[in-house]
Amino acid sequence: MNPEDLEKLVTLRMPFGKHAGCLIADLPGPYLSWFAREGFPEGQTGRLLHLMHEIDHNGLSPLLDPLRKER
């Protein structure tokens, strides 16, 4: 993980699927868990979904709040 990835979580939107258009940081936990079970996609999107799953699963989502306020 690098700091730029945290910034991307609050700026990039989900490019496909049921929650297309939703900020990656705002994706619901069960959706992230589904990817964890079924497999994350390749590339940047998969890496960010995996990171967001880890953040959500460990109850660390409030750590993104300061980055959201900068927007």
Side-chain angles (χ1 to χ4, degrees):
M1 181 191 74
N2 60 52
E4 293 82 25
D5 285 346
L6 295 176
E7 184 76 23
K8 288 176 184 176
L9 292 176
V10 298
T11 57
L12 294 181
R13 297 188 177 275
M14 186 66 182
F16 59 84
K18 180 179 180 178
H19 295 283
C22 182
L23 287 174
I24 292 177
D26 293 337
L27 292 171
Y31 189 62
L32 296 168
S33 294
W34 181 86
F35 277 109
R37 285 189 311 274
E38 300 296 324
F40 293 101
E42 296 291 322
Q44 175 179 269
T45 300
R47 185 171 42 83
L48 294 174
L49 289 170
H50 186 266
L51 174 59
M52 192 60 223
H53 174 260
E54 290 296 322
I55 290 171
D56 180 71
H57 181 74
N58 290 298
L60 300 174
S61 295
L63 294 176
L64 299 175
D65 290 346
L67 295 173
R68 291 176 187 273
K69 291 177 183 173
E70 291 177 9
R71 301 272 142 241

